[in-house]
Amino acid sequence: MLFKVLVAFPYSVDGRFTEMLAEGGVVPIREDLVEGLTDGEYVREATEEEIAEAAGGAVVLPQPVEIPDDWRELNWFKYRDIARALNGGQSVGNKAAAVAIIEAELARRAEI
């Protein structure tokens, strides 16, 4: 889901690297932070028009990252790339972090 930034604030996708989100931007927000940021009036759900405008007129919605059933059998560099995609393109650090990110996403998907 994409959100409209109502006020500039520092944001971290992975809890390690922080970027400043600009007021008026349309960005994805980590699911675990949405409630606090919307309650605090930092962001709100973006409208279709705002998403289209941010995408230059073409609506581009993020696609779910594919996690193969045998991901643990892959070379860690390959599943590091999966974890990086799940982590918004941010570096995942090491093998343990990559495993944790993938396992957390699989658990989240199992709840849906």
Side-chain angles (χ1 to χ4, degrees), residues 66-85:
E66 182 180 340
I67 304 172
D69 291 336
D70 64 344
W71 69 270
R72 286 184 182 274
E73 297 169 21
L74 299 173
N75 178 297
W76 105 265
F77 291 111
K78 295 208 185 266
Y79 65 80
R80 177 192 61 186
D81 292 339
I82 295 168
R84 182 182 296 144

Side-chain angles (χ1 to χ4, degrees), residues 1-106:
M1 186 174 300
L2 296 174
F3 294 85
K4 177 83 170 192
V5 179
L6 303 175
V7 57
F9 67 96
Y11 174 72
S12 177
V13 172
D14 62 2
R16 293 183 355 180
F17 301 100
T18 302
E19 65 178 298
M20 185 62 101
L21 295 183
E23 182 178 342
V26 175
V27 297
I29 298 290
R30 285 186 8 217
E31 190 173 310
D32 61 316
L33 299 178
V34 169
E35 184 177 350
L37 291 174
T38 54
D39 289 350
E41 298 183 357
Y42 288 91
V43 299
R44 65 167 168 71
E45 191 173 336
T47 65
E48 288 184 29
E49 293 81 20
E50 291 166 335
I51 294 169
E53 182 179 323
V59 176
V60 179
L61 298 175
Q63 296 296 314
V65 175
E66 182 180 340
I67 304 172
D69 291 336
D70 64 344
W71 69 270
R72 286 184 182 274
E73 297 169 21
L74 299 173
N75 178 297
W76 105 265
F77 291 111
K78 295 208 185 266
Y79 65 80
R80 177 192 61 186
D81 292 339
I82 295 168
R84 182 182 296 144
L86 292 169
N87 201 29
Q90 297 287 330
S91 174
V92 296
N94 59 32
K95 183 177 181 178
V99 169
I101 289 168
I102 294 171
E103 287 176 342
E105 176 61 14
L106 290 171

